[in-house]
Amino acid sequence: MHKGRITKEGIRIYSDADFEGMQAAGKLAAHILDSIAPLVAVGATTEEIDTAITDMVDDAGARSATIGYKGYQHASCISVNHVVCHGIPGPKVLKDGDILNVDVTVIVDGWFGDTSRMYVAGRLNRKAERLIQVTHDALMKGIEQVKPGNTFGDIGYAIQRYVEAHRMSVVRDFCGHGLGRVFHAPPNVLHYGRPGTGALLEEGMFFTIEPMVNLGRPETKVLADDWTAVTRDKSLSAQFEHSVGVTADGCEIFTLSPANMFHPTYA
């Protein structure tokens, strides 16, 4: 196991060589999300999509980070419409206009690749399209702040300011996280905040940025299954997630789509 330096906030600093491990894990996770795009269609079930993801992970000789994690039994979380995150794949049939986030984490040679993006079954309505666009752009605004010398508060502030300027809300109950040779590690990456606050970004930090944005209010609740989080006001929710590493002068996104399909209206 890599023995990197740990900051006073408990954040691991990785070496240049460790970037290669994260590149491989991130690329596989992103490739899987590219590959399932044709499966997201009216009449498909979320269970069918998850089964395809499980098969792709196995075929790549990798492991799913989520199967067996705290008792979870699926290779993805699939969150439809007002589900904010951690939706459990099942017999739910997708209807025309449904929007869904698919979140996949794979382990390749001990390194964790974690990413999620939005998909649409059938035709995309205008309200959902706006939500998806704002959420995607908010993630990219956050990533623009990732460089040595900035703070985690700078990332959160950039996301929050952009989302709220579009009269939407940032979910505060869930956040991004450090990763590398572990699934979840310090820091907690908040998607709201004040500039100049929080830990300083340093070269060699690895973490996810994964804003969840609601059309309505930010409050969520977790259902009786202890996993599925939904908007309290039943408003639509969207999420995009990248895994990134801080470089000497900015950042590297490990989970870029190989086919340039990260945004659902790529076609």
Side-chain angles (χ1 to χ4, degrees), residues 79-85 99-102 116-120 124 127-139 159 163 168-171 191 210-216 229 231 235-241 263-264:
S79 304
V80 182
N81 293 336
H82 72 291
V83 178
V84 175
C85 60
I99 63 170
L100 53 153
N101 175 273
V102 182
S116 82
R117 65 178 83 151
M118 296 301 294
Y119 299 83
V120 183
L124 184 59
K127 261 198 317 195
E129 184 177 18
R130 256 191 80 238
L131 171 66
I132 288 170
Q133 189 67 54
V134 168
T135 308
H136 172 274
D137 293 350
L139 168 62
I159 292 168
V163 169
M168 300 177 195
S169 62
V170 175
V171 171
H191 304 116
E210 47 184 295
M212 287 145 267
V213 175
N214 296 346
L215 263 182
T231 55
S235 64
L236 282 180
S237 187
Q239 180 187 18
F240 284 89
E241 174 184 16
H263 191 290

Side-chain angles (χ1 to χ4, degrees), residues 188-245:
N188 286 337
V189 182
L190 305 181
H191 304 116
Y192 59 93
R194 287 180 295 122
T197 62
L200 271 178
L201 296 166
E202 293 185 49
E203 183 179 359
M205 288 180 172
F206 298 161
F207 51 88
T208 71
I209 306 177
E210 47 184 295
M212 287 145 267
V213 175
N214 296 346
L215 263 182
R217 293 185 53 79
E219 292 84 11
T220 70
K221 64 178 179 181
V222 176
L223 301 185
D225 60 27
D226 286 332
W227 283 105
T228 309
V230 301
T231 55
R232 279 194 174 270
D233 62 5
K234 301 281 202 312
S235 64
L236 282 180
S237 187
Q239 180 187 18
F240 284 89
E241 174 184 16
H242 272 315
S243 297
V244 303

Side-chain angles (χ1 to χ4, degrees), residues 11-267:
I11 304 168
R12 184 175 291 281
I13 305 296
Y14 288 93
S15 71
D16 289 347
D18 295 331
F19 275 74
E20 290 182 21
M22 291 299 288
Q23 288 159 0
K27 186 176 181 181
L28 176 61
H31 170 70
I32 288 170
L33 290 189
D34 284 356
S35 301
I36 63 166
L39 305 180
V40 180
V42 176
T45 68
T46 54
E47 200 165 42
E48 289 165 353
I49 297 167
D50 181 70
T51 298
I53 291 168
T54 306
D55 291 343
M56 288 179 212
V57 174
D58 291 344
D59 290 347
R63 284 194 299 127
S64 165
T66 51
I67 294 176
Y69 178 77
K70 296 185 177 177
Y72 195 77
Q73 291 304 316
H74 302 275
S76 65
C77 293
I78 302 180
S79 304
V80 182
N81 293 336
H82 72 291
V83 178
V84 175
C85 60
H86 304 157
I88 302 172
K92 179 177 177 59
V93 175
L94 297 176
K95 302 189 300 295
D96 188 38
D98 280 348
I99 63 170
L100 53 153
N101 175 273
V102 182
D103 190 340
V104 168
T105 308
V106 297
I107 310 170
V108 178
D109 296 328
W111 295 98
F112 286 69
D114 187 0
T115 184
S116 82
R117 65 178 83 151
M118 296 301 294
Y119 299 83
V120 183
R123 290 162 299 184
L124 184 59
N125 73 58
R126 182 72 190 104
K127 261 198 317 195
E129 184 177 18
R130 256 191 80 238
L131 171 66
I132 288 170
Q133 189 67 54
V134 168
T135 308
H136 172 274
D137 293 350
L139 168 62
M140 302 318 289
K141 295 278 185 194
I143 289 174
E144 284 173 11
Q145 296 299 314
V146 180
K147 57 187 172 188
N150 276 4
T151 68
F152 283 95
D154 295 332
I155 298 171
Y157 175 71
I159 292 168
Q160 179 184 6
R161 182 178 61 175
Y162 186 79
V163 169
E164 292 178 354
H166 287 82
R167 303 192 168 202
M168 300 177 195
S169 62
V170 175
V171 171
R172 297 181 177 225
D173 297 336
F174 302 95
C175 60
H177 53 88
L179 82 171
R181 284 194 172 274
V182 292
F183 195 174
H184 296 105
N188 286 337
V189 182
L190 305 181
H191 304 116
Y192 59 93
R194 287 180 295 122
T197 62
L200 271 178
L201 296 166
E202 293 185 49
E203 183 179 359
M205 288 180 172
F206 298 161
F207 51 88
T208 71
I209 306 177
E210 47 184 295
M212 287 145 267
V213 175
N214 296 346
L215 263 182
R217 293 185 53 79
E219 292 84 11
T220 70
K221 64 178 179 181
V222 176
L223 301 185
D225 60 27
D226 286 332
W227 283 105
T228 309
V230 301
T231 55
R232 279 194 174 270
D233 62 5
K234 301 281 202 312
S235 64
L236 282 180
S237 187
Q239 180 187 18
F240 284 89
E241 174 184 16
H242 272 315
S243 297
V244 303
V246 184
T247 61
D249 56 0
C251 81
E252 178 177 352
I253 302 173
F254 298 126
T255 46
L256 286 173
S257 163
N260 197 27
M261 294 166 65
F262 188 64
H263 191 290
T265 57
Y266 60 86

